[in-house]
Every structure is written in C-alpha cells, then in structure tokens.
Amino acid sequence: MRLRALLDTDALGLRLLGGEDELDRTVRGVMTTDLRDPSRYLSGGELVLTGLAWRRDADDSEPFVRILAQAGVAALAAGEAELGDIPDDLVKACVRHRLPLFAVHESVAFATITEHVVRQVSGERAGDLAAVVDRHRRMMTSGPAGGGPDVVLDLLGSDLDLRAWVLSPTGRMIAGTKVAGPGLPADACAELAAEHLAATRTGRRGPHRVTLGPSTYSLFPIRSSGRAAQTSRDVRETVLSDWLLAVEADAGDWPAERLDLLQGVTQLISVERDRRDAARTVRRRLAQEVLELVQTGAAPAEIAARLRVAAPVLLPGLGAAPHWQVVVARVAWEGAGIESGPVAQSLLEEILVDPLATGPEPSDRIAVAHTGDEAIALVPLPAVSAEHDGSESGILADALLESVRDPLSAGLDDDGQLTLGVSAAVHSAEGLRGALEEARHARRVAAARPGRVCAAGHQELASHVLLLPFVPDDVRRAFTARLLDPLRDYDRRHRAELIPTLEAFLDCDGSWTRCATRLHLHVNTLRYRVGRIEQLTSRDLSRLEDKLDFFLALRMS
C-alpha cells in the first residue's frame, strides 16, 4: 500500500505534518518503538509508530530521524497522547531527511493502525494473510475462545503449506500448526529456543536459521509491543521474556514479500502476547498485595483475608488453598543499569508452568510479583498436595530447572545468572513471612554456586551446604589450599590419586573394606595411601575433627 492511502482512512486519525511529495512511497510493514536507536529491528519500508518516549529534549530528534532515514523506513507517525502537539524539532528533522511525518490523534490506538496496515499490505501481497488478520480480529474480540495464536498458524499451514510453532524462551510450545505429519518434540523445542536466544545475544537480526537433523528452521522473534519492550535499550532486558516463531523452512531462499508476510504474522501474535500479559494483571496485583502485607509485618488476620480473596482466582472452583509455597527468582547481569525485575517476573511465570503444558494460558494459577530485581511467586497447592504437607507433591527446586536449563543458559550467555529459591509449604498466613525468608535464603545459596542457572530448596537449608556458600572467597581458598594443595602436588608428580582416595575414604565413612572394594585396591595399598595423606598434611584420619576438615575442604574446592 502507499502512504497517501493512510490519509484517506479517517478511522486512523492521521494528520500529515510534512513530506507531501513523498506520499507515493510503498509501505511494507509497521513497527511500534520508543527506542532511541531501533535500527536493529528495521529492514526498510516500515511505517514507524512512536509515542515519543525516547525524546528528552530537542537535540534527540535529529539522531532519531537520521537513523530511520538511513534504515529506509517509509514514514514516521508520532502519537499526540504523550506531549500533545508534535515538537517542531521533530518536524524540522523529518523535513531535512525527507521523511514523511504523520501525527496520530490521541484517541487512536497504535494497535488500530498496526492492524489496518498489516491487513492492507498483506492483502495486496497475499490474500491468505488477509484471512489471518480477519480471523485474528475475531479472536481478539471474543477472548480465548477465539483460538489464540493457533488461528494464525493453522492458516499458515493450510494456505501456505508452512509448519510453524510459537515457542516460549524456555522452549515450551505455546501454539503449533495442526497439519499432518509428526509434531515438534520437546527436545527440539528446547534446542530451537536455545539457538534463538544465543543468536539474539550476539545481536544478529532475525530470522535465524537452524538445522536439526534433516529439517531447517527459520526463527522469527515475537517482541512484545508493550512500553517495557519499546523503551528497552539493552537486549538483556527482554531476551529472556520474548516469544519466537519457528517455521520449518529456510527463509534464506524466500523473496522479500514472503519475509514481510511472516513479519506481519509475528506482529499479530505479539498482540495475543500482550493480551495474555494483560490477563495476568489481576494475579500479579494479588501477589503484590500479599507480598506487601507480608513484608510490612501486617497482622496474620489481614494477610489471611487477602489470601481468601486470592484463592478463588488462582484455584477456581476449589475454594481456599490449604497450603502455599513461595518461590523467589532473580536474574543478575554483570554491569549496572539493567532492569531485570520484570524479566524475572515473566520468566518465573513461565518456569512454574508444567513444561508439557501447551497454550498461552496454562499459568492461570500462578501469582508472581516483583520488587527491585527480585520476582516472588505465591503458589497455591490444592488438597492433593496438602495431604503430603507439600513435601511430595509441591514444587521441587531441581525439577523446576530440569527442562529449561539449556535454553536459558544460552540466553544468559557468559554475563548473566538465573537463581531460584523454593520454600517449604506453609498452611497459614502466619507462615508466609518465614516461607518468604526461607525462599530468599535458598536463592542466595543457589547464587553462590557455579553455573548460569541454579536453584536451591528448603531441604538444603538444614545441612552444611547452607554455610559453605557464605564463606568468604579468601578464607575458602586459604583453607582448601592448606589441606589439599600438598595432595594435589603429590598427585601431579607421582600420579598417586591421593585426592580420589581421600574422597572415597570419606564417602565410605572410614571403612577400609568398603573403600578398598570401591577403588579396586588391596587393603594394604589403601592403608599406604591414607598414610601418605596423613604424612603430607600432618592430619590423622582416625580423628573426627580431621575427617570433618577434609570433608569441608573437598566440598569447598
């Protein structure tokens, strides 16, 4: 479609501020942004919509417009809702760079313009996508019953013969094409998500092409159009929360028209993503209210009253939840100035979903709040879990990360860490404050461990592992060096395997027979090695104190 056609549509509320001679330009897509530099998301020919949140003073307009012009965008449309009249400095910058500029009346939503442009552009290039847009509009007006992203993907399969899936950043399948042939296995979903996150961290522009076995997939990012995504200036603030569209095809062979068509599909799905996030508002607010009451030391009766309000929302039809668990998550990045609280919130909502569950709304029983860089989940346990006091059927820390560790590690790359802590189940409002502190303490234990994705549960807070992570690094190094360095040096010179022998001896509780059997040694050989360990370290492995010191040194090394 051409720019002048936009002015002929009264419902769009567009007013031309400059660029009358350029109205025959062709519009190939639409993008909403408030980034100061959106160049990595532009491919040329877009109508760029902006709320002007990037503009702090008059000097910001020139570099912003220059970036758009160099990217070859068709035009810029600025909303009047934030600042009222469009600033003169922006008008002049657009004139200098021959970039057509429209003003968008405050009564018109950017989503209205986006849908109109996608429908018109796609209709002119491919009648099949117009049907997608029409079906999607009905879906949005009728709620979840309208079919969600599956509606769009089904038409991709039936009309374009493309198999496609919408995946979460953890690799969970949210929607998929219902066509003949095998589905996408869970391990393939996880690998595609990992490849996408790794490519995004390197700054490569999508689609990303990945080959798994005999199939080639093209991965398209699905970015939220919410304000947080629009104002983000660091990819790390959104990389762990964005969905992706995986298409079983090699997009490198596609003409520009087909690529534009798929970009339009991702925009439609992003609207569904925003609708889903909006539906979570009530649950997030409930969690935030309970969290504030718990942290401010409110009376248990007041907290219990709020829980009675929350339970029917989180456990519809089941009444009050007999037990609750608290899960705390934090995403930490090297360097300062990265807002990670909202990402941790979105990511924790995803992690707490059964990895085998599909669809955009399986987490409707999870309430997650965030404060600072920390996300806190209030998870109700139905009666079946309460029968076991939450210990068997409740959330287990290690199980939470089993299926998501590889994808998220790729997104965290070498400068981020995700840590989780899980509390024991509590059965009353009086126990929530202790559960929150328990989950936070478990998360700190996890943060002291090596690895990009770590978790710890309440069970671990009753042993030595609670203490070891908080030993200062210099004390840790000095303690282990004094006990173990002589043994390591001896092993390097003589290949004597004293360290493995020490570990096995302690694991066998000092039993000569069991240790010799495990190491396939004669008992006399084992006695010689243990004697050498005692000689080199001036310790006696028959004494409990020395055994304990060696045990702790091995755990800290």
Side-chain angles (χ1 to χ4, degrees):
M1 66 179 299
R2 302 199 181 270
L3 285 175
R4 66 174 66 256
L6 297 174
L7 289 174
D8 296 334
T9 307
D10 295 337
L12 300 184
L14 297 178
R15 180 165 50 92
L16 183 64
L17 300 182
E20 186 173 0
D21 296 335
E22 304 291 334
L23 291 180
D24 285 329
R25 289 187 180 185
T26 299
V27 179
R28 299 173 54 206
V30 62
M31 175 191 179
T32 300
T33 186
D34 272 317
L35 293 172
R36 302 183 75 177
D37 180 6
S39 57
R40 66 174 178 263
Y41 304 123
L42 297 170
S43 57
E46 297 94 341
L47 170 66
V48 174
L49 306 174
T50 181
L52 299 178
W54 51 267
R55 183 185 179 276
R56 295 170 184 163
D57 55 48
D59 293 335
D60 290 336
S61 293
E62 169 62 24
F64 181 79
V65 173
R66 182 173 63 251
I67 289 170
L68 299 187
Q70 290 174 347
V73 304
L76 174 65
E80 295 178 326
E82 188 76 19
L83 302 178
D85 292 336
I86 306 304
D88 288 338
D89 48 272
L90 180 60
V91 176
K92 293 177 181 177
C94 288
V95 170
R96 281 194 297 272
H97 291 278
R98 301 178 63 83
L99 182 67
L101 175 64
F102 299 96
V104 182
H105 193 271
E106 62 181 2
S107 64
V108 179
F110 282 177
T112 300
I113 300 174
T114 298
E115 182 175 344
H116 176 83
V117 172
V118 171
R119 175 159 42 85
Q120 295 299 321
V121 171
S122 303
E124 292 174 4
R125 287 202 300 261
D128 44 19
L129 193 56
V132 173
V133 178
D134 290 337
R135 190 90 63 89
H136 188 67
R137 187 193 302 111
R138 294 196 297 274
M139 174 194 73
M140 294 182 62
T141 57
S142 61
D150 297 280
V151 171
V152 183
L153 301 186
D154 285 348
L155 286 177
L156 284 179
S158 61
D159 294 356
L160 300 183
D161 197 25
L162 288 176
R163 284 164 33 97
W165 301 266
V166 177
L167 306 179
S168 77
T170 65
R172 184 176 64 85
M173 187 183 300
I174 294 169
T177 309
K178 295 181 178 64
V179 295
L184 197 60
D187 57 347
C189 291
E191 190 167 349
L192 290 176
E195 293 285 350
H196 173 74
L197 290 174
T200 301
R201 285 303 311 275
T202 64
R204 286 194 284 132
R205 181 183 296 180
H208 310 124
R209 285 179 289 165
V210 177
T211 299
L212 296 182
S215 301
T216 297
Y217 300 87
S218 296
L219 311 179
F220 295 79
I222 301 174
R223 297 185 172 89
S224 171
S225 58
R227 175 167 294 275
Q230 295 173 19
T231 58
S232 172
R233 287 174 289 176
D234 192 312
V235 67
R236 291 176 292 182
E237 293 182 9
T238 57
V239 65
L240 297 179
S241 57
D242 286 339
W243 288 357
L244 68 135
L245 175 67
V247 181
E248 190 176 16
D250 188 348
D253 299 331
W254 287 359
E257 290 77 10
R258 176 61 65 90
L259 285 172
D260 289 343
L261 188 147
L262 265 293
Q263 294 292 352
V265 169
T266 65
Q267 291 173 0
L268 293 179
I269 297 175
S270 73
V271 175
E272 166 63 19
R273 168 70 186 272
D274 292 341
R275 185 198 66 77
R276 188 213 51 173
D277 285 344
R280 285 181 168 178
T281 302
V282 173
R283 300 192 298 276
R284 288 174 171 177
R285 185 183 301 120
L286 286 171
Q288 196 71 44
E289 291 174 353
V290 174
L291 174 62
E292 290 174 359
L293 290 175
V294 171
Q295 293 192 127
T296 56
E302 186 177 359
I303 299 174
R306 179 54 56 188
L307 288 176
R308 284 194 294 271
V309 173
V313 176
L314 302 177
L315 290 172
L318 298 180
H323 285 70
W324 300 86
Q325 271 184 288
V326 176
V327 182
V328 174
R330 186 171 186 268
V331 177
W333 300 103
E334 295 177 8
I338 300 176
E339 185 182 8
S340 59
V343 171
Q345 180 183 42
S346 175
L347 193 55
L348 185 53
E349 288 170 335
E350 176 64 32
I351 289 173
L352 289 172
V353 176
D354 183 343
L356 298 180
T358 59
E361 294 289 352
S363 57
D364 56 358
R365 296 182 179 180
I366 299 165
V368 183
H370 79 83
T371 173
D373 290 339
E374 188 179 65
I376 301 170
L378 186 65
V379 183
L381 302 178
V384 64
S385 296
E387 295 173 0
H388 299 88
D389 293 330
S391 60
E392 297 296 332
S393 302
I395 296 172
L396 300 177
D398 290 339
L400 281 179
L401 300 180
E402 184 175 352
S403 63
V404 303
R405 181 172 278 106
D406 289 344
L408 295 183
S409 295
L412 291 161
D413 198 17
D414 59 355
D415 59 352
Q417 185 185 42
L418 167 68
T419 52
L420 284 87
V422 181
S423 79
V426 295
H427 66 278
S428 66
E430 290 89 341
L432 276 182
R433 185 176 183 86
L436 175 59
E437 292 306 315
E438 188 174 58
R440 281 175 165 163
H441 207 82
R443 192 207 63 77
R444 289 193 290 269
V445 170
R449 293 172 172 168
R452 292 296 168 191
V453 181
C454 302
H458 61 92
Q459 304 93 335
E460 301 179 57
L461 303 187
S463 75
H464 65 278
V465 298
L466 171 63
L467 303 176
L468 295 186
F470 305 104
V471 177
D473 288 342
D474 54 344
V475 175
R476 181 193 300 260
R477 286 192 294 268
F479 182 76
T480 57
R482 187 162 51 249
L483 281 173
L484 301 183
D485 278 2
L487 306 183
R488 292 179 179 130
D489 291 342
Y490 191 87
D491 281 348
R492 277 194 296 269
R493 293 196 308 269
H494 302 285
R495 298 182 181 179
E497 298 187 354
L498 296 185
I499 291 289
T501 300
L502 176 62
E503 291 175 333
F505 187 72
L506 295 176
D507 284 343
C508 293
D509 298 322
S511 168
W512 298 100
T513 303
R514 282 194 290 125
C515 184
T517 300
R518 175 185 294 190
L519 296 176
H520 306 290
L521 298 175
H522 192 278
V523 172
N524 289 340
T525 304
L526 176 61
R527 291 185 184 277
Y528 172 81
R529 289 187 183 181
V530 171
R532 179 63 67 183
I533 291 171
E534 293 174 332
Q535 180 184 25
L536 292 171
T537 60
S538 300
R539 297 297 184 109
D540 183 353
L541 277 169
S542 66
R543 299 177 66 246
L544 177 62
E545 296 87 355
D546 288 343
K547 286 180 181 178
L548 180 59
D549 284 347
F550 277 122
F551 176 80
L552 293 175
L554 290 169
R555 289 300 174 95
M556 288 191 293
S557 64

